[in-house]
Amino acid sequence: MPFRQTCRKDFKTRWIPATKSFVASAADIAGDWVYYDRVVRENTFGVERFQTPLFAFAIVSSVFGLLLVISFFVKGPKKNKYLRWIEGLEMMFGDVPQFVLTAMVTAETSTFSPTAVFNITTSSYNFIFNGLSLIEEEEPEEKKDEEEEESDE
């Protein structure tokens, strides 16, 4: 396979999905912190009880984002089992609690603020992208090795 095709295939199969996942996670982290900041600054009666859980899950989301970045640097942009675990756990312990907490705060205040929409949107994108990433097929290791040997020749 010519070098140009190998580079293009590598870019399509490794870098684009990795960049998509990283951008979705970064936006989700930003959405979580912006929403937490709004809830703290607004300090509407009855909403103060949600401040601690929002803070805790914003930290959880940030930790998963940091693990994602570390996984990229350690393992490279290719799909691996660690990245799949991180994405799966981020969905369950980062995105789902944000959906629930945002719904609870919205129900308590009876207003659907722009920051709530932003938080739900970024969490939804991250949830969808991570879910799609989890169901993508992983290339078998022996196939990867054969392709690398062919490109070396």
Side-chain angles (χ1 to χ4, degrees), residues 65-108:
L66 181 64
L67 289 173
L68 188 68
V69 170
I70 291 170
S71 176
F72 285 156
F73 284 117
V74 172
K75 294 285 188 180
K78 63 185 176 185
K79 282 285 171 201
N80 58 62
K81 63 182 177 185
Y82 302 111
L83 186 58
R84 288 178 184 265
W85 271 99
I86 292 168
E87 289 173 339
L89 290 172
E90 182 181 19
M91 286 172 60
M92 294 306 298
F93 298 111
D95 296 330
V96 173
Q98 284 296 331
F99 293 140
V100 172
L101 287 168
T102 304
M104 291 171 75
V105 170
T106 300
E108 188 74 30

Side-chain angles (χ1 to χ4, degrees), residues 11-150:
F11 184 72
K12 283 181 179 179
T13 59
R14 292 185 181 181
W15 287 100
I16 289 177
T19 303
K20 175 185 68 174
S21 182
F22 178 74
V23 169
S25 289
D28 182 38
I29 292 167
D32 294 348
W33 284 107
V34 166
Y35 189 64
Y36 167 74
D37 184 59
R38 178 209 157 268
V39 169
V40 169
R41 287 179 192 265
E42 196 171 276
N43 205 10
T44 307
F45 178 72
V47 178
E48 58 273 346
R49 67 182 174 186
F50 298 112
Q51 291 176 358
T52 303
L54 282 170
F55 179 71
F57 286 109
I59 288 176
V60 166
S61 183
S62 299
V63 167
F64 282 123
L66 181 64
L67 289 173
L68 188 68
V69 170
I70 291 170
S71 176
F72 285 156
F73 284 117
V74 172
K75 294 285 188 180
K78 63 185 176 185
K79 282 285 171 201
N80 58 62
K81 63 182 177 185
Y82 302 111
L83 186 58
R84 288 178 184 265
W85 271 99
I86 292 168
E87 289 173 339
L89 290 172
E90 182 181 19
M91 286 172 60
M92 294 306 298
F93 298 111
D95 296 330
V96 173
Q98 284 296 331
F99 293 140
V100 172
L101 287 168
T102 304
M104 291 171 75
V105 170
T106 300
E108 188 74 30
T109 61
S110 300
T111 57
F112 203 51
S113 69
T115 52
V117 172
F118 180 64
N119 189 29
I120 288 175
T121 302
T122 56
S123 290
S124 297
Y125 274 110
N126 193 45
F127 188 86
I128 289 168
F129 286 154
N130 284 345
L132 290 173
S133 182
L134 288 174
I135 62 173
E136 282 178 346
E137 286 188 32
E138 193 173 337
E139 267 186 68
E141 286 296 322
E142 53 274 347
K143 187 176 180 184
K144 290 178 191 175
D145 293 339
E146 288 173 7
E147 287 178 1
E148 289 174 8
E149 288 174 8
E150 288 176 6

